[in-house]
Amino acid sequence: MSISEPLESAPAPGGLPPAQYDPAATEPAIYERWLQAGCFTADAARASRTGGDRDAFTMVMPPPNVTAILHVGHGLNNTVQDVIARHARMRGFETLWVPGTDHAGIATQNIIEKQLAKEGLTRQDLGRDAFVARTIAFVDETGGVILEQLRAIGASADWSRTAYTFTPALSRAVREAFVQLYERGLIYRGHRVIHWCPRCLTSLSDEEAEPRETTGALYHVSYPIADEDLAPGEERRALSVATTRPETMLGDVAVAVNPTDERYAALVGKHVVLPILDIRIPVVADEYADPEFGTGVVKITPAHDANDFEVGRRHDLPMPVVIDEHGILNEVTDADGRVPAALRGLDRFEARTRLVEMLKQLGRLERTEVHRHAVRHCYRCDTVVEPRLSDQWFVRMAPLAEPALAAVRAGRVRLLPEKWVGVYEHWMSNIRDWNISRQLWWGHRIPVWYCSACDPPQNVIVSREDPAACPSCGGPVVQDEDVLDTWFSSWLWPMSTLGWPNTASVDLRTFYPTDVLVTAPEIIFFWVARMIMAGFAFMGDAPFHTVYLHGTARDTQGRKMSKSLGNGIDPLDVVRLYGADALRWTLVAGMGLGADVMLDPADLEKSFATGRNFATKLWNIGRFLLVNAGTEPVRALDDVSPGALARADVWILDRLDVAVRECDRAIGPMQPARDRWIGEELGAGLRLNEYAESARRFVWNELADWYLEAIKTRLLTPGEDQQVARAVLVHVFDRALRLLHPIVPFVTEALWQRLPGHVDGTFLATARWPVPAADTETNVLVGEFELLRQIVDALRRTRSDYGVPSSQTIDAFVLADPIHRQMLVDEFSLVARLARTRLAFVEWAPTGPAANVILPGGTELVVPLEGLVDTKKECGRLRAELAGLETQLTALEGRLRNPGFVERAPSHVVDSERAKSEEWRKRRDLLRARIEGLCGAD
RNA sequence: GGGCGAAUAGCUCAGCUGGUCAGAGCGCCUGCCUUACACGCAGGAUGUCGGGGGUUCGAGUCCCUCUUCGCCCACCA
């Protein structure tokens, strides 16, 4: 493709790009060309670990759930990753960004079940195979949409390596991990009370059962003491027991008191009568009972409360199950006669009401009080979770957590922002075993088979391959019905997407460990911590060295954007209206590290104007370049003799260096210098908003506002100097585009392709990141141009202060030292153009009303105000200014007289304060003189 | 009940290891369609940096406390 061929689908008349940047017409074509050129495809052969000459840089994309299309939160997540990936690529790393999606077990199953419910069906009606087939069809569709969305926002992922947590390859990884852990004794089958969702009919992990503050009731029930010797006529005493879930009392097998609780010491070993059922249950002593809470007596229901379960085990108590999997009261296990006919078959909440009634009638309900407490809800369907005794598979986490905790403490893995380290440490130090079985159909089947023919029966077979028959007895085997927690595939993601468990995989050898993981802090425990544990468990190393934890996208009321609230923003809407660059710029530039980003879903224009405006500005700088500098190739900057450079050229080149350094500093090192992060680097870097701001300031406030204005005349005047200006302009703009490309890839690429001298077939996406010039001493011309800017600023301010119409040119007198005077003579026409002011060079101050400006270096500007200003008003203004100045000066000089300050403050601070005081004093004297001259002494 | 974080211009926020910062974007006011850009240009206003106390020569920047919001964790029946 030649440069004359337009990138947009609708070329502008006259061969120039249109004044208004049209992202919709530009972005898709550019993205297509990147793909065709293979810009995002990583090649292991080029990477140093496998014989190439480049360091590898790898990221794995947190796989979005295939349940729904992406919202702006995903846009944020993937934009951050893309900025990092593109920057790494430009830095010369062999960059691999692995995209993919997650099958999202329970979440996806719920969606399909909801669809079925609309058709009046249940999953059981379909049967397991048909249900799974239907889910696969759904996932294929949404998964495809998600990948399209990612491309639309410009994600430079390597699509040839697109992964999915439920492919055969990933299933092998899942099974291998399970078997390895089982062989190491880290997976066990446990009879435990777990969180159970009676609607989803599955167990939930601690993280999936979300506690929610709820107002409920605390029922005080009296349990009569059974075997106390009673004096004749004496009322039988009772223990008062509080509960929030009275229906569970049908499963009570004991009441517990604290062993140190003297009030009840005598009762330990005796019995109480369980009301309604009228059966005797023992009083046990257990630490779990808190003497401070309520009466200090707690009922023990081992099958329906996790803590009670532990107490039950310690005291070897029976564990009757009285609530079934649907949350309905029934005699499930070991519960002979425990559920009265009146309650059998009732929903748990209905049963609660009924049972409370019964207690009242028996006179066993002492009182009921309002009680606020946390009740766990299913994170998918919001049903109140029911603790339930069942057989589940668990991973023993403590041994896995150890190296993962040490890695963060040692700086092998850093968390940004650092505040999350404490949270991570706390959680990892108190880690609990991970229940990995889910009673679902959608997910990786647990690789466990049972042989009932064996003796003993229920022989457990854990295998990498599906066994055809029982290895011991040759009998038939049945696979465990359950599937694995969806995170059991996610925690292997950085390895499995690169080929694990095949350790000979080229990708695994080349690109593992990965570098940066970008995700949200709410899944530190679900995912990040577990990936680190898996990394050490299966590969012997951390899966990445940096975890970048970004904030949440919220609406104007601070609510998290979500589909259920309907306050989400579809990134594609933004892309369609303002372009992917606008979306990306707004998100990256507007968000501090780890901070939330507020957007208004009702006003996309307001939310994304910043980004759109910026893209347009860039576009117009490009237009300026093409209009005024033409499209003929320019000289390389190296071929321009330094002596030929004008003040403005030297200045903008200096500013470019400063900008590059600032961007580099904000981004920080891409990888730790050695095998871990040390010292300052631990918490530094990836300040993408600072990087964006430095680049923006350079290109807008320096390049566009000053440099372009300064060289207009030169560009239009044929000759040697024109060529110099063109060379510098093209060079500087080229570097600016490189700096900005990671954030706004489309508009920068579109412009870069049009730069004079662009070589066909080369892409900004794979061009090199700018390198700042070696730190040389600042050219004196830089300072001179700075002074020039200050003079123009001062003149503009003066004009504005006095309301001079912009059409009117004014005069100003300069009292300058010889050096500055010569400089101003040189730049006379520039000042005249930028400030609409004619400079005159004099040694004396003109009389009459005038505005004075003192500039650093001793240059003084005097702008006569004859005919521009009301003398009386000006006197008032001057007096007010003098008063303010004197106050400040007094404070400043007081500080300078303070020995503490002078002796202990850094010398550069003291020096600058002295200089300031000098300046202010001069200015004060000047003001006084002017007031005297203008207003008379009074 | 613990732990963490935040309170800075009308709004959304930057301000890293105490001394060039009292700042940016959006909004607002004034003047400009100046041949790249009105999605723009030039100029401008607005803040006892949540309250109070302390450390220091010096504090948005460190310590204590209070207030108000978030977030995470927690077995309190």
Side-chain angles (χ1 to χ4, degrees), chain A residues 474-512:
Chain A
V477 291
V478 179
Q479 186 171 9
D480 194 301
E481 286 295 314
D482 291 352
V483 302
L484 288 162
D485 179 7
T486 195
W487 297 102
F488 197 88
S489 51
S490 313
W491 78 322
L492 307 173
W493 191 243
M495 310 180 301
S496 60
T497 53
L498 296 176
W500 190 88
N502 174 14
T503 46
S505 150
V506 174
D507 273 2
L508 192 64
R509 285 193 297 131
T510 309
F511 296 109
Y512 190 91

Side-chain angles (χ1 to χ4, degrees), chain A residues 229-237:
Chain A
D229 296 330
L230 291 180
E234 190 183 351
E235 183 79 7
R236 194 167 282 282
R237 291 199 298 155

Side-chain angles (χ1 to χ4, degrees), chain A residues 201 434 511 530:
Chain A
L201 295 182
W434 176 17
F511 296 109
R530 286 176 184 159

Side-chain angles (χ1 to χ4, degrees), chain A residues 418-437:
Chain A
E418 284 182 285
K419 64 176 178 180
W420 294 108
V421 171
V423 179
Y424 176 88
E425 287 188 347
H426 181 260
W427 192 75
M428 292 296 268
S429 320
N430 298 288
I431 196 158
R432 291 153 61 155
D433 286 353
W434 176 17
N435 170 14
I436 51 171
S437 21

Side-chain angles (χ1 to χ4, degrees), chain A residues 58 60 96 98-99 160-164 167-177 180 489 492-514 538-539:
Chain A
T58 315
V60 290
L96 169 59
V98 182
S160 72
R161 289 175 165 92
T162 303
Y164 173 49
T167 57
L170 282 264
S171 296
R172 267 198 302 283
V174 164
R175 186 174 288 198
E176 177 66 25
Q180 275 197 28
S489 51
L492 307 173
W493 191 243
M495 310 180 301
S496 60
T497 53
L498 296 176
W500 190 88
N502 174 14
T503 46
S505 150
V506 174
D507 273 2
L508 192 64
R509 285 193 297 131
T510 309
F511 296 109
Y512 190 91
T514 72
F538 302 113
M539 287 290 290

Side-chain angles (χ1 to χ4, degrees), chain A residues 625-646:
Chain A
L625 186 146
L626 295 175
V627 170
N628 292 290
T631 52
E632 289 302 307
V634 297
R635 229 179 275 175
L637 192 62
D638 286 345
D639 298 335
V640 176
S641 116
L645 296 174

